[in-house]
Amino acid sequence: MIRFDHVAKRYPNGHVGLHELSFHVKRGEFLFVTGHSGAGKSTLLRLLLAMERPTDGKIILAGQDLSRISTAHIPFLRRQIGVVFQNHQLLFDRNVFANVALPLQILGMSKDDIYKRVITALDRVGLKEKADQFPNDISTGQQQRVGIARAIVHQPLLLLADEPTGNLDPRLASEIMGIFQDINSLGTTVLIASHDLALIARMRHRLLTLQRGRLIGDGEAA
Ligand code: ADP
Ligand code: ADP
């Protein structure tokens, strides 16, 4: 599903985001990426989303070579990816249903298909009953679950999350991880960037550890 082959990312100002990074991820895997601030986690996610291009090496995602992808093809690539942010970035003037429907409206999907998909996505995160509520009327954990529903509503092959539990207390963080687990068990590959080592250790999944742009660990979290 993902192959990084000696990938380096140097920013125009000379900062090195990643050095000679190589790893593979199989379809259906669940993995974490950790490391201190500045280790290269966001750079890794931005490369996968083709928001940045590698300065060296090769990145293959679902058979597409991201080192050579044309700008015109980037929207097609992004349709295969869902992204969950730390600050979920919901629109507060739209209800839960409309927030989750947004990516499908952008794709020009029919109203019937949008309805079915949105309800399915909300059901996956346990929020079918909250479709008519507004983000301000639900809890922080529920808002984050809406962010996850929006990220999976177009049925991506790969779900990326950047510090998805960063603002949540440990109980809510575990709950959110349970949702990622459920999504993964239905076949979606899940990659989560996180600082939360205690939470990662409890999940017992593969963990990539970055330090100053280098991969210093790849194995089951202990
Ligand atoms: P985090 O550690 O939470 O991932 P960072 O503080 O490293 O966040 O980065 C936050 C944002 O600022 C990122 O989008 C990153 O691209 C940008 N950024 C980080 N370092 C620099 C830099 N030296 N110059 C310009 N932008 C940067
Ligand atoms: P993390 O997400 O693990 O905090 P980042 O990928 O944001 O790490 O940063 C890795 C390195 O790349 C840091 O030295 C950071 O300052 C640098 N960096 C990140 N984004 C930018 C950017 N847009 N411009 C310049 N340097 C950046």
Side-chain angles (χ1 to χ4, degrees):
M1 169 65 91
I2 303 172
R3 177 187 293 265
F4 271 56
D5 198 1
H6 297 90
V7 172
K9 174 63 190 175
R10 224 169 301 107
Y11 287 100
N13 66 357
H15 281 205
V16 176
L18 292 174
H19 266 294
E20 287 277 313
L21 180 63
S22 298
F23 65 95
H24 299 179
V25 177
K26 293 200 192 94
R27 191 167 290 237
E29 267 196 78
F30 189 130
L31 74 160
F32 288 101
V33 177
T34 197
H36 296 298
S37 192
K41 303 180 297 295
S42 311
T43 300
L44 172 59
L45 297 179
R46 287 200 302 271
L47 286 168
L48 284 170
L49 287 162
M51 292 163 70
E52 301 279 359
R53 280 169 196 269
T55 26
D56 254 309
K58 196 163 169 166
I59 303 174
I60 308 286
L61 171 57
Q64 301 151 100
D65 184 344
L66 303 192
S67 358
R68 291 155 172 256
I69 192 170
S70 70
T71 311
H73 195 73
I74 289 176
F76 297 97
L77 168 80
R78 300 224 177 114
R79 279 175 210 174
Q80 296 163 36
I81 307 176
V83 190
V84 176
F85 304 94
Q86 174 169 359
N87 55 341
H88 52 68
Q89 303 185 344
L90 300 182
L91 301 173
F92 281 81
D93 60 343
R94 299 190 195 199
N95 69 17
V96 164
F97 184 97
N99 268 281
V100 177
L102 207 60
L104 302 183
Q105 283 166 343
I106 291 168
L107 293 179
M109 205 173 269
S110 77
K111 269 196 165 159
D112 282 357
D113 286 342
I114 290 178
Y115 181 81
K116 280 184 219 141
R117 294 240 194 157
V118 170
I119 295 300
T120 304
L122 285 174
D123 197 27
R124 296 254 156 90
V125 303
L127 286 183
K128 214 164 72 173
E129 279 68 45
K130 302 283 181 189
D132 297 327
Q133 308 255 319
F134 282 78
N136 275 327
D137 301 327
I138 60 178
S139 69
T140 315
Q142 288 171 339
Q143 289 173 1
Q144 187 59 304
R145 279 149 63 185
V146 176
I148 297 174
R150 186 187 48 192
I152 60 167
V153 75
H154 61 302
Q155 301 173 349
L157 294 169
L158 173 65
L159 183 59
L160 301 177
D162 195 2
E163 299 288 351
T165 59
N167 289 328
L168 303 176
D169 68 42
R171 190 184 55 82
L172 283 177
S174 294
E175 194 181 295
I176 293 293
M177 284 300 166
I179 290 169
F180 284 118
Q181 188 79 60
D182 293 346
I183 292 166
N184 174 248
S185 69
L186 294 169
T188 309
T189 308
V190 175
L191 187 157
I192 301 178
S194 173
H195 276 114
D196 192 343
L197 290 173
L199 188 67
I200 291 171
R202 279 204 301 281
M203 306 267 305
R204 296 177 171 275
H205 285 300
R206 180 175 172 195
L207 171 65
L208 301 182
T209 307
L210 296 175
Q211 188 181 66
R212 296 198 199 108
R214 294 178 193 276
L215 186 65
I216 59 159
D218 181 357
E220 190 184 312

